[in-house]
Amino acid sequence: MERSNQTCPVTGFILLGLSAHPTLEKTFFLLILSMYLVILLGNGVLILVTILDSHLHTPMYFFLGNLSFLDICYTTSSVPLILDSFLTPRKTISFSACAVQMFLSFAMGATECVLLSMMAFDRYVAICNPLRYPVVMSKAAYVPMAISSWVAGGITGTVQTSLAMRLPFCGDNVINHFTCEILAVLKLACADISINIISMGVANVIFLGIPVMFIFVSYIFILVTILRIPSAEGRRKAFSTCSAHLTVVIIFYGTILFMYRKPKSKDPLGADKQDLADKLISLFYGVVTPMLNPIIYSLRNKDVRAAVRSLLSQKHFKQ
């Protein structure tokens, strides 16, 4: 009988979420819903102005539009599921829906890592080689750069998801998370997951390690170039052109490092608190960062602010 139970295939999963903290569910439902609406509105407006305003038809704003669209896709792959889990007593998800959600989450995350490094290269060329900028960052260059970011993210998402979902799942089908987070799902597999761990390690090096090093080196050159500018006003203007991107990079990678560098608790009570903290940090990474991106770029960029004002004034004039 015990062997029969263990070999029973899993056709769906139960998402634990914040089931152990029902009072937090109501509070976080309103909070996450509000943040999600801000994400849709803020990133939607950024996409709209980068398309409609001819002054923003440049490589930097093309990448920014891609980043905004990516943030909408990334949050939409998980936030509706999270909101539903706050309202549904039994939080279930089918095997196929779990695979789709896992793929979108992994693919969007990897794409953003590559896209941020592309944006760093754009700022490097703009500041360190301004005379060559129109040639190096021509449309024939920056469009394929953005496309390659999406393709790379899609490929790694497909590989990681297919490797995870081909595993046999038997017995326990409770995911201790809001969504089908890949590490939480792998814990439920009743087979050797060493190949999955190795492939994820390789993916982390490619999509986290290499972009971080590329961004770091780019900003070293940018900093050296800015410090060589004789006037304080010139240095301020040069730094302002990359300050928004640098802020987004720090928030994005800072949250990732904080998530994976925390010491693990060996005390059972401490472990329960740590599980809750891990979930809330994951929630911050998945919702707060995409919400801050359009705010950072709109507040720190006069071109975007001018484009938004122009768009609003045109709408008001037509009415």
Side-chain angles (χ1 to χ4, degrees), residues 38-295:
V38 172
I39 289 169
L40 295 179
L41 178 62
N43 287 288
V45 168
L46 270 180
I47 293 172
L48 195 61
V49 297
T50 55
I51 293 174
L52 297 180
D53 195 311
S54 59
H55 297 95
L56 301 184
H57 291 175
T58 63
M60 183 178 72
Y61 295 110
F62 178 76
F63 287 132
L64 179 57
N66 274 264
L67 182 63
S68 295
F69 180 68
L70 187 149
D71 283 338
I72 290 176
C73 293
Y74 181 77
T75 52
T76 301
S77 72
S78 59
V79 171
L81 184 63
I82 294 171
L83 292 175
D84 180 66
S85 73
F86 290 148
L87 299 177
T88 309
R90 186 173 177 82
K91 309 158 181 57
T92 59
I93 183 172
S94 67
F95 194 84
S96 57
C98 183
V100 171
Q101 193 276 320
M102 184 188 296
F103 164 77
L104 290 174
S105 178
F106 211 104
M108 295 302 104
T111 301
E112 183 158 1
C113 290
V114 179
L115 193 60
L116 287 173
S117 67
M118 299 292 187
M119 296 173 75
F121 177 74
D122 172 77
R123 292 299 83 204
Y124 160 76
V125 178
I127 294 175
C128 300
N129 297 281
L131 297 179
R132 296 188 59 200
Y133 184 78
V135 177
V136 176
M137 295 304 296
S138 64
K139 190 173 184 179
Y142 68 76
V143 172
M145 288 169 65
I147 293 174
S148 66
S149 300
W150 289 92
V151 172
I155 290 174
T156 189
T158 301
V159 171
Q160 300 303 327
T161 303
S162 60
L163 286 176
M165 303 314 282
R166 73 173 178 80
L167 293 169
F169 296 92
C170 38
D172 188 9
N173 66 336
V174 178
I175 299 176
N176 189 20
H177 212 276
F178 296 109
T179 61
C180 289
E181 199 270 336
I182 190 166
L183 292 177
V185 173
L186 290 178
K187 291 179 181 179
L188 305 180
C190 48
D192 181 26
I193 61 170
S194 57
I195 294 179
N196 302 78
I197 300 301
I198 293 172
S199 66
M200 286 185 64
V202 173
N204 286 337
V205 170
I206 296 173
F207 292 96
L208 285 176
I210 294 177
V212 166
M213 288 300 299
F214 187 85
I215 292 170
F216 179 76
V217 172
S218 297
Y219 272 100
I220 289 294
F221 283 108
I222 289 172
L223 182 61
V224 170
T225 302
I226 290 176
L227 292 176
R228 287 176 179 173
I229 298 175
S231 67
E233 180 65 17
R235 290 194 296 270
R236 187 192 65 81
K237 287 183 178 179
F239 182 74
S240 67
T241 64
C242 59
S243 59
H245 173 259
L246 183 59
T247 303
V248 169
V249 166
I250 291 173
I251 293 174
F252 180 78
Y253 286 107
T255 307
I256 294 176
L257 291 175
F258 183 74
M259 286 172 62
Y260 292 104
R261 290 292 182 180
K262 302 188 314 302
K264 299 297 182 181
S265 174
K266 297 181 179 180
D267 178 65
L269 294 177
D272 291 339
K273 292 180 180 179
Q274 182 175 291
D275 284 340
L276 178 60
D278 289 343
K279 293 176 185 178
L280 296 182
I281 292 170
S282 176
L283 208 57
F284 173 85
Y285 169 72
V287 180
V288 177
T289 303
M291 183 187 70
L292 290 178
N293 287 352
I295 296 175

